[in-house]
Amino acid sequence: MALRRKLSIRHISSLLSSSHKIHHNPCCYFSTSLSHHNHPLIRNYNHASIYHHKCNPFSTTAKNEISNEIMQIAEGVLSGNRRDLSRAITLVESTHPIHFKQAQLLLSYIYQKKQDQNKNSQYTPNNSSFRIGITGPPGAGKSTFVNQLGSQLCDAPYNKHVSVLPIDPSSFLSGGSILGDQTRMLDLFKKDSAFVRPSPNRLSLGGVSDTTYEVCTLCETAGYDTIFVETVGVGQAEIEVANCVDMFILVITPTSGDDLQGLKRGIMEMADLIIVNKAEGDMVNAAKHIKHDFQRALGLTHTRRANIGWTPKIVLCSSLPKMIKHKSDKNNDENEENTVLKVWEEIEIFRAEMEEKGELDRCRREQSKHATWKYVWRNIKNNVEDMKPHLMRIEDKVMNNDISPREGSNDILKYIWNNPPKDF
C-alpha cells in the first residue's frame, strides 16, 4: 500500500516538476511525463495499443512510438492541409482513453517539429495568430457577426486566414449536439481561406469545451492567423473562454437590460470589448441607450486589464449584410458607421496596445498553465469515475442520511488515497 501511494505521489510530482517545460509548450501538456518508459501510464498504454492496433484507425505502435498515420496527420497539419487538420481535431476531441494518449503523441510531434523549424528564426509560436473569444446570451447574433466579419477579413485588403470554432451545447439527456452554427456562416464557409469547425461542449461549463485550447493550437499550427471561438449562449458567470483566447468580446443586444445588469460582476469585468449588436432599424435608439447604461456601469467596475490601463470600449454594430436594409430605417447614414469592420478596427487597436505592453505573451503563458491544470482535474475526475462502483457503499450511506455529504466526501477521499488507480 505504501509503495502504491509513493508511486502516485511520484507521478503527480513528475507532472508538476515538468511544468516549466509545459509552460513553454502550448501544444502538449504531458509530453514530458511520457518520456519515462517505466511509468505505469506507458505500460498500460502499450498493452492497450497492441489490443487496438488492428481495429483503431488512429493506432500507434506497441513501443510507444508515433504511428505512421498519426505522423502523416501531424505533417499535414504543419503544411496547412484542412483534411488532416480536421482529423487531428477529431483525435484531440475524442474521449476514448486510447485516443487521449495518441493525441498527446500527435501534439508532442507537432510542437517539436515547430521548435526544430524555427530554432534559427525570429518566429514566435505564441504570437503567430490572434485568438478572439465571442460570447454572449443566446440570440445575440454571435454567429451572424462572426460570419460577416470573417468573410470580409478573408477578402482584400485584409487577406486573413480565418478559423472559426463554434461551440454547440450538448444534451444533458442524450449527450448529442446539433452542431448547426455553420448554417449561419454560409458566406464564410465558402471562402477558401476559412475553416469552420463546430464542436460540442460535452456538458463542460463556461461556454467552451475541454479541448478548445488544443484545437486553437492546431488551427494556429495549420496557418490560420485569426481564430474566432464562439461560445454557446452564456449567462453572467460563464467566462471560461477568457482562459483560451487573447481577446474576450461580449456581444449584447439593445434589450439586454439596464445599467444594473452591467454592474453585476462576472462576465462584464472580464470583457475586453463590448458589442451592442443589432443596432439597426428601430433598435438604434435602444442600442444607444443600452450603450450609455453600460458605460456608466463600467465606470464602477474593476475590469481584468485595468492594471495595464485598458478600459473596455462599447461599440454599436449591425451585422446585417449591406444589401439588407430595414424598410423603416431612417438612420442609414449613421448605420454605415456601425459595421463589423468598425469593430475590427477596435480589435486591431486592442491587439497593438497589448503587444506593445507584452500582455499577449503573458496571456498565452497563462493559457498554457490554465489548460494544463484543467487536464489535471479532468484526469483526476475520470479516474474517480472509474472507481465509483467501489464507492457505492459510501454513497448509500449519504443517500440514507446515515452520514452527511461532507463526511461522505472525506470517506471517499480516504478510499481513493488508500486505493489509487493504476494510471493515477
Side-chain angles (χ1 to χ4, degrees):
M1 189 68 65
L3 178 60
R4 295 182 67 182
R5 182 183 302 178
K6 186 175 181 180
L7 288 174
S8 300
I9 296 174
R10 184 178 298 176
H11 181 194
I12 296 173
S13 63
S14 67
L15 290 176
L16 297 181
S17 64
S18 62
S19 61
H20 67 284
K21 297 181 181 179
I22 298 173
H23 193 59
H24 299 285
N25 189 342
C27 281
C28 180
Y29 308 135
F30 300 117
S31 59
T32 51
S33 65
L34 290 179
S35 62
H36 304 289
H37 297 286
N38 291 325
H39 195 280
L41 186 64
I42 299 298
R43 292 199 299 270
N44 292 332
Y45 165 61
N46 292 339
H47 293 303
S49 298
I50 296 173
Y51 180 77
H52 289 272
H53 182 72
K54 295 183 179 179
C55 59
N56 186 0
F58 294 113
S59 60
T60 58
T61 63
K63 296 182 180 180
N64 195 36
E65 298 174 355
I66 187 169
S67 69
N68 291 333
E69 185 169 4
I70 292 182
M71 190 180 300
Q72 291 174 1
I73 294 174
E75 291 292 346
V77 173
L78 288 164
S79 63
N81 186 286
R82 292 158 60 97
R83 182 172 179 269
D84 287 328
L85 174 59
S86 298
R87 298 182 70 191
I89 294 175
T90 298
L91 181 61
V92 166
E93 290 183 341
S94 175
T95 57
H96 195 287
I98 301 300
H99 292 171
F100 181 85
K101 298 173 179 64
Q102 292 167 343
Q104 292 178 2
L105 297 176
L106 172 75
L107 293 168
S108 298
Y109 180 86
I110 287 177
Y111 193 73
Q112 187 60 49
K113 291 286 289 186
K114 289 175 67 175
Q115 285 184 325
D116 294 342
Q117 292 172 1
N118 302 289
K119 265 182 181 178
N120 301 321
S121 70
Q122 297 180 350
Y123 172 82
T124 304
N126 282 355
N127 299 327
S128 61
S129 71
F130 190 61
R131 306 174 184 181
I132 305 168
I134 307 292
T135 191
K142 299 184 293 295
S143 297
T144 305
F145 169 79
V146 172
N147 176 60
Q148 286 300 314
L149 178 57
S151 58
Q152 295 188 50
L153 291 179
C154 290
D155 298 332
Y158 302 99
N159 297 321
K160 298 285 187 181
H161 289 78
V162 178
S163 175
V164 181
L165 309 173
I167 311 299
D168 206 50
S170 301
S171 169
F172 283 92
L173 299 179
S174 66
S177 299
I178 297 177
L179 302 179
D181 282 333
Q182 69 268 30
T183 59
R184 301 188 184 96
M185 302 180 185
L186 296 181
D187 295 331
L188 181 62
F189 199 76
K190 298 174 184 177
K191 301 292 183 180
D192 292 335
S193 58
F195 177 79
V196 181
R197 169 67 183 236
S199 300
N201 73 337
R202 300 186 187 278
L203 306 182
S204 177
L205 300 179
V208 294
S209 68
D210 289 337
T211 57
T212 297
Y213 176 83
E214 289 178 315
V215 175
C216 287
T217 301
L218 289 172
C219 291
E220 179 181 275
T221 304
Y224 292 95
D225 49 29
T226 305
I227 302 173
F228 291 98
V229 179
E230 181 196 334
T231 72
V232 302
V234 300
Q236 293 173 327
E238 295 165 300
I239 57 173
E240 180 62 28
V241 68
N243 298 309
C244 306
V245 296
D246 306 320
M247 185 178 189
F248 184 41
I249 297 179
L250 172 63
V251 181
I252 60 177
T253 63
T255 57
S256 293
D258 53 15
D259 51 353
L260 179 60
Q261 300 301 322
L263 282 172
K264 293 181 179 179
R265 299 298 184 263
I267 200 169
M268 280 290 298
E269 59 190 357
M270 298 298 292
D272 298 311
L273 179 67
I274 299 175
I275 300 174
V276 184
N277 201 19
K278 303 184 179 181
E280 69 265 337
D282 297 335
M283 302 299 291
V284 172
N285 291 332
K288 291 179 179 179
H289 182 73
I290 199 69
K291 175 182 177 180
H292 295 151
D293 284 345
F294 274 63
Q295 281 178 334
R296 288 196 299 267
L298 279 177
L300 302 174
T301 302
H302 182 80
T303 57
R304 65 168 177 161
R305 301 194 198 271
N307 61 325
I308 60 172
W310 177 262
T311 301
K313 297 180 182 179
I314 305 177
V315 296
L316 302 181
C317 179
S318 173
S319 300
L320 292 177
K322 291 183 178 180
M323 66 285 298
I324 300 179
K325 297 291 183 181
H326 198 284
K327 293 182 179 180
S328 61
D329 193 355
K330 300 178 181 179
N331 303 299
N332 285 335
D333 295 337
E334 184 178 356
N335 287 346
E336 290 296 328
E337 299 297 321
N338 301 334
T339 63
V340 292
L341 291 180
K342 291 294 181 180
V343 176
W344 180 250
E345 292 178 5
E346 298 295 339
I347 294 174
E348 288 188 315
I349 292 173
F350 171 84
R351 180 177 185 177
E353 186 169 337
M354 295 301 105
E355 285 181 339
E356 181 181 352
K357 296 179 178 180
E359 180 68 8
L360 287 186
D361 185 62
R362 185 201 66 81
C363 187
R364 284 294 177 93
R365 293 162 67 89
E366 289 296 322
Q367 291 172 25
S368 300
K369 182 176 71 173
H370 180 83
T372 301
W373 281 104
K374 191 170 184 178
Y375 266 105
V376 170
W377 301 126
R378 174 184 172 182
N379 292 342
I380 292 175
K381 180 181 177 181
N382 290 341
N383 277 293
V384 172
E385 288 289 335
D386 294 338
M387 299 178 66
K388 265 197 171 183
H390 304 285
L391 304 173
M392 292 180 62
R393 179 181 57 84
I394 301 175
E395 287 182 340
D396 290 339
K397 286 186 177 181
V398 175
M399 295 170 66
N400 294 330
N401 294 323
D402 295 333
I403 57 177
S404 67
R406 183 172 299 188
E407 183 180 354
S409 66
N410 289 334
D411 291 344
I412 289 175
L413 289 175
K414 290 178 182 177
Y415 181 88
I416 295 173
W417 182 256
N418 293 324
N419 303 274
K422 294 180 180 180
D423 291 347
F424 201 65

